[in-house]
Amino acid sequence: MIVTFTANPSLDRTVALPGPLERGEVQRAISVSQESGGKGVNVSRALVASGLQTIAVLPGGDSDPVLAGLQHDGVPFAALPIDEPLRTNVALTEPGGVTTKINEPGPSLSAEQQEALIALLLERARGASWVVLAGSLPPGFPADFYATVTRRLRSGAGSGADGGVPLIAVDSSGAPLAGAVSGTSLDGMSGKPDLLKPNAEELAELAAAAGFATASTADELEADPGAAAAAAAAVVRSGVGAVLATLGSKGAVLVTADGAWLATHPPVAAVSTVGAGDSSLAGYLLAHGQGAAPADCLRQAVAHGAAAASLPGSTVPAVHQTTPDAVTITALRKD
C-alpha cells in the first residue's frame, strides 16, 4: 500500500490553446478538461491506473468537486472534513507542450485542523510501504511541516508492512521543500525523507542550501547531467536518502549513497507537462514495489514521465502506456 498526503489539493483545469499564449489578447480554447489534482493526488491517480493499492489523504468537504472527481475515478481517499472549498488551478497549454500554470493559494486550516490531518495520515499509514508527502502547503502551515510529519511517522505511529515504519518520499517546492530537507533529528527521529523528487530548478536551490560549492542554474543542470548528479549528491550528503531529479525533456537522474544514474527517453510529442513529474514519482514507486534495482526504478520513472507528457491535460498514464525499454540508463559520477 502506498499512501499519498496532499495538504493543498486542487481541481486542476487545463485549457488548451491553438497557438502561443498572447498576453493581453482574446484567445479561444480548443478544449478544456479538469481532474482532481495536487501532487499527491496525481501520484495516487497514476498508481490506481496501473492497478496498485493506494489511498490519498487530503482535506475536503463531502460535496467538494475534488472529492467527487476522486470518487468518479475510483481513487480511494480519506478526507478530513472542512467547510471551505478547495482551490482551483488553471493550466494553459500551447502546441508543443509549453504550459503556463496559475495556482490558487488554497483554504487556510487552523492548528487544530492541521493536527487532525496529521492524525488521519498516521492512521492510514499503518501497514504502508511508502508515504508520499507532496505539493504546496496551505496558507498558515509552518515551513517545516513535512519534516514534522516525517518524524511523527517514524516515531512508530504508522507501522510499515514489515513491522517497521514506511519509507517517506517528499515532492514539493519553495519553503516546504527546503523545510523538509533541513529537517533536523528530534528524539532520535530524522525529519529528512528517504526519497526527494525535485525538478531542476528546485535541485539548484537545494544544492546551494546544502553548501554545494558550484552553484548552477536550472538550465545548466538540465544541460549537464553530470552537474545535476553532483548537485543531487550534495543533497544526499546532507542526510536525504536518495534524490530523483527530473530534468524535463532531458530525462532524470537518480543519486543514492551507492551510485548515480542518468535516464533518457527518445523525444515524445509533448501535449501537456502538467503532472509529468508526479507520474515520474509514481513510476519509481511502482518499480520499487516490484523489487527493482535503483537504476530500473529510475527507468520506469522516466518512462512514466514521458508518457504523461504525451497525454492531454493532467491525464496520468497506466504502466502499459509506458515504454521503459526505450529508456537509456547511464552510470554517472557523483562528484
Side-chain angles (χ1 to χ4, degrees), residues 23-316:
R23 294 183 60 193
E25 300 296 330
V26 175
Q27 291 178 267
R28 297 187 182 278
I30 56 176
S31 67
V32 178
S33 61
Q34 67 181 34
E35 298 277 0
S36 299
K39 284 183 173 295
V41 167
N42 289 340
V43 171
S44 280
R45 289 173 51 230
L47 293 172
V48 166
S50 294
L52 272 72
Q53 285 191 314
T54 183
I55 186 167
V57 177
L58 70 165
D62 290 341
S63 61
D64 197 280
V66 174
L67 301 190
L70 290 176
Q71 190 167 23
H72 178 270
D73 293 341
V75 178
F77 64 88
L80 175 73
I82 62 173
D83 294 331
E84 292 185 69
L86 297 173
R87 61 184 179 148
T88 297
N89 294 340
V90 178
L92 306 175
T93 62
E94 305 171 35
V98 176
T99 303
T100 302
K101 294 194 69 178
I102 303 171
N103 292 349
E104 295 182 3
S108 298
L109 273 67
S110 68
E112 292 76 14
Q113 288 174 314
Q114 293 177 32
E115 179 57 33
L117 193 58
I118 294 175
L120 179 60
L121 173 63
L122 295 177
E123 175 189 346
R124 295 296 181 165
R126 296 190 179 100
S129 56
W130 280 91
V131 172
V132 178
L133 310 176
S136 64
L137 295 174
F141 273 53
D144 64 349
F145 182 80
Y146 285 144
T148 297
V149 172
T150 296
R151 286 190 293 265
R152 294 277 295 274
L153 285 163
R154 287 176 176 156
S155 71
S159 299
D162 60 356
V165 296
L167 295 170
I168 298 167
V170 171
D171 182 5
S172 189
S173 59
L177 178 60
V181 173
S182 62
T184 56
S185 296
L186 293 176
D187 298 326
M189 296 294 171
S190 171
K192 298 186 179 184
D194 299 289
L195 177 68
L196 197 70
K197 199 223 71 64
N199 59 25
E201 181 177 356
E202 294 154 356
L203 177 59
E205 295 174 357
L206 290 175
F212 185 47
T214 305
S216 300
T217 66
D219 289 342
E220 289 170 340
L221 293 181
E222 289 190 358
D224 184 351
V235 179
V236 170
R237 287 194 297 271
S238 75
V240 172
V243 174
L244 169 65
T246 51
L247 306 175
S249 63
K250 304 297 184 180
V253 298
L254 174 67
V255 176
T256 71
D258 300 320
W261 302 267
L262 166 70
T264 57
H265 191 285
V268 299
V271 177
S272 172
T273 59
V274 178
D278 307 329
S279 292
S280 293
L281 179 53
Y284 180 99
L285 298 176
L286 184 155
H288 188 276
Q290 295 172 340
D296 288 322
C297 292
L298 174 63
R299 181 190 303 277
Q300 190 60 55
V302 168
H304 255 75
S310 69
L311 298 173
S314 55
T315 305
V316 294

